[in-house]
């Protein structure tokens, strides 16, 4: 066979989720302990006793972070948080992490200490043990791979697949801010590169930059669900933007949904910043990423319990699949929601 005859498909043709589906298609779970494999925020394993919930994420310099504006301590913190967020998205309590790093000789011991200071702060704040990992070299950049492990009784776990028609769609906090924080940092980087004497003016942008550099996992929501005896019918964490993550819930649950634009929480500073960048604030909420809020659905009978939750917003409702996934705009129009989350490829 000549070289021209070998089929070659660009990864970009499949996209991130198409590629995952393509790869996962070649595997079938064999073990009775595997309750949930690929396809949710975390896998669920049952060895008798409490189930174990496991999730892993890989962060690559130049793709997920830029050391020009991600201080190493913040990066260590954030790397842990994004994994804890996936455990919380299963309505489970995170308990342990493993941390693997690949580093080049460009990094000093002091630099890696900074990274681990951030990891330690996150472990203390969320009461997590660091129980292992791996350390290796890399040709140039920094890579961090973290696996988080958590648990909760089986009947309390929430999957992407449990949403039912009539369920209420809720989110734990404002959306779009982390994306706008990133745009600010990118802008300041360009200014600095063009003129290294210019110092970035970030003090007025503290909220948005903080949402990008120091996100939190919504463990308090999981604790509230426990205390109030509420189990979301479905849940996901908003890492890729409201649109992409709502579509994941709808696809996994075989339902449609509508979102009321006017109810989507957008911080005042995010709204102003979006306008300054000539962006539509709702587009930032729908397609920006890394907010790490929890997007969840509840049975209407639990509406009162949701109303007592601190910082929770009711943004829409689950509908039959045929109705599609739509945005009801403040101007009274209905638009289909499409995924324009992060495109890595
Ligand atoms: P999240 O955004 O919540 O971290 P992802 O979109 O990264 O979730 O992943 C969706 C699902 O696909 C998860 O179950 C994840 O474990 C699985 N997954 C992602 N990449 C791979 C891979 N290369 N091989 C096997 N499973 C994968
Ligand atoms: Mg997730």
């Amino acid at each position: 066979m000549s070289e021209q005859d070998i089929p070659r498909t660009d990864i970009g043709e499949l996209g991130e989720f198409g590629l995952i589906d393509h790869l996962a298609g070649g595997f079938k779970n064999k073990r009775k302990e595997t309750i949930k494999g690929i396809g949710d925020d975390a896998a669920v394993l049952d060895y008798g006793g409490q189930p174990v919930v496991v999730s892993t994420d890989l962060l690559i310099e130049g793709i997920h972070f830029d050391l020009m504006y991600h201080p190493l301590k913040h990066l260590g913190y954030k790397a842990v948080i994004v994994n804890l967020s996936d455990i919380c998205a299963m309505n489970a309590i995170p308990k342990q992490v493993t941390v693997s790093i690949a580093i080049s000789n460009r990094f000093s011991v002091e630099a890696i200490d900074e990274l681990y200071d951030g990891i330690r702060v996150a472990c203390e704040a969320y009461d997590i043990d660091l129980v292992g990992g791996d350390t290796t070299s890399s040709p140039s950049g920094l890579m961090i791979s973290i696996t988080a492990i958590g648990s909760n009784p089986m009947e309390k776990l929430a999957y992407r697949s449990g949403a039912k028609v009539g369920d209420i769609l809720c989110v734990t906090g404002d959306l779009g801010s982390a994306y706008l924080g990133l745009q600010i940092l990118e802008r300041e980087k360009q200014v600095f590169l063009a003129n290294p004497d210019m110092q970035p003016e970030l003090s007025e942008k503290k909220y948005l930059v903080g949402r990008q550099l120091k996100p939190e996992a919504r463990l308090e929501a999981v604790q509230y669900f426990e205390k109030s005896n509420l189990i979301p019918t479905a849940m996901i964490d908003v890492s890729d933007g409201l649109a992409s993550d709502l579509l994941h819930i709808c696809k996994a649950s075989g339902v449609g949904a509508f979102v009321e634009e006017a109810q989507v929480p957008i911080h005042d500073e995010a709204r102003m910043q979006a306008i300054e960048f000539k962006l539509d604030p709702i587009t930032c909420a729908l397609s920006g990423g890394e907010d790490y809020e929890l997007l969840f659905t509840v049975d209407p009978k639990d509406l009162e319990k949701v109303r007592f939750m601190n910082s929770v917003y009711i943004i829409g409702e689950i509908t039959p699949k045929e109705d599609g996934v739509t945005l009801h705009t403040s101007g009274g129009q209905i638009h289909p929601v499409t995924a324009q989350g992060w495109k890595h490829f």
Side-chain angles (χ1 to χ4, degrees):
M1 206 151 91
S2 74
E3 216 171 85
Q4 290 109 302
D5 297 331
I6 300 172
R8 188 190 189 285
T9 311
D10 266 341
I11 292 176
E13 277 178 46
L14 296 183
E16 179 184 348
F17 302 125
L19 180 64
I20 295 172
D21 287 347
H22 172 78
L23 298 174
F27 292 81
K28 209 168 138 239
N29 296 329
K30 300 172 283 297
R31 310 291 318 204
K32 68 174 185 345
E33 297 89 349
T34 310
I35 308 302
K36 178 76 200 178
I38 295 170
D40 216 301
D41 291 289
V44 178
L45 314 177
D46 183 7
Y47 288 89
Q50 280 217 355
V52 177
V53 177
V54 187
S55 181
T56 195
D57 261 305
L58 176 60
L59 300 182
I60 307 281
E61 183 178 352
I63 303 278
H64 300 98
F65 59 88
D66 185 329
L67 290 175
M68 263 193 85
Y69 50 72
H70 282 100
L72 281 162
K73 188 169 175 182
H74 283 70
L75 184 62
Y77 189 87
K78 179 171 175 176
V80 173
I81 295 306
V82 303
N83 280 277
L84 303 187
S85 176
D86 275 325
I87 301 295
C88 292
M90 302 302 291
N91 201 29
I93 311 285
K95 310 242 164 139
Q96 289 94 7
V97 286
T98 65
V99 175
S100 301
I101 51 171
I103 34 176
S104 70
N105 55 12
R106 181 179 125 224
F107 293 91
S108 63
V109 173
E110 288 76 13
I112 302 305
D113 277 345
E114 279 283 303
L115 181 76
Y116 270 72
D117 277 348
I119 292 173
R120 188 171 328 100
V121 172
C123 286
E124 275 159 22
Y126 287 82
D127 204 11
I128 305 290
D129 290 333
L130 168 65
V131 295
D134 196 15
T135 305
T136 186
S137 56
S138 109
S140 62
L142 170 65
M143 296 169 220
I144 310 165
S145 170
I146 297 193
T147 297
I149 300 151
S151 188
N152 221 8
M154 194 66 82
E155 63 281 6
K156 295 201 169 147
L157 299 181
Y159 296 87
R160 295 177 179 179
S161 56
K164 299 180 305 336
V165 175
D167 283 355
I168 294 153
L169 183 65
C170 313
V171 69
T172 52
D174 68 275
L175 301 174
S177 292
Y179 171 76
L180 285 158
L182 181 63
Q183 301 312 307
I184 293 167
L185 291 166
E186 269 297 326
R187 181 181 67 183
E188 294 305 321
K189 176 184 167 182
Q190 297 312 327
V191 170
F192 176 79
L193 289 176
N195 182 357
D197 295 332
M198 291 275 287
Q199 284 304 307
E201 192 31 82
L202 295 174
S203 54
E204 283 171 23
K205 314 281 182 185
K206 249 194 181 137
Y207 180 74
L208 300 178
V209 168
R211 290 283 276 164
Q212 168 60 220
L213 294 183
K214 195 174 174 293
E216 301 292 347
R218 292 289 170 231
L219 179 60
E220 72 272 16
V222 176
Q223 290 163 337
Y224 177 87
F225 294 146
E226 169 73 34
K227 210 172 62 201
S228 58
N229 229 339
L230 168 65
I231 302 168
T233 50
M235 187 147 67
I236 189 168
D237 65 327
V238 185
S239 54
D240 294 331
L242 174 61
S244 176
D245 290 314
L246 174 59
L247 287 166
H248 281 314
I249 285 191
C250 290
K251 186 174 174 208
S253 298
V255 294
F258 69 79
V259 171
E260 291 285 357
E261 179 182 0
Q263 306 305 324
V264 174
I266 299 175
H267 196 277
D268 283 346
E269 287 181 31
R271 214 174 274 285
M272 280 173 350
Q273 191 63 51
I275 292 164
E276 192 186 316
F277 280 132
K278 300 197 167 40
L279 296 167
D280 194 357
I282 189 70
T283 308
C284 296
L286 285 167
S287 301
E290 302 193 283
D291 296 305
Y292 300 105
E293 297 298 340
L294 294 173
L295 177 70
F296 62 97
T297 57
V298 294
D299 189 286
K301 75 171 167 31
D302 290 321
L303 185 58
E304 272 312 298
K305 290 179 181 171
V306 170
R307 285 199 198 285
F308 280 112
M309 236 174 131
N310 235 341
S311 161
V312 75
Y313 303 85
I314 295 170
I315 60 169
E317 198 177 305
I318 298 298
T319 58
K321 190 177 177 188
E322 311 75 75
D323 295 356
V325 183
T326 58
L327 178 75
H328 292 187
T329 71
S330 307
Q333 289 174 317
I334 297 181
H335 286 307
V337 168
T338 52
Q340 289 168 338
W342 296 117
K343 298 234 177 336
H344 298 305
F345 302 109

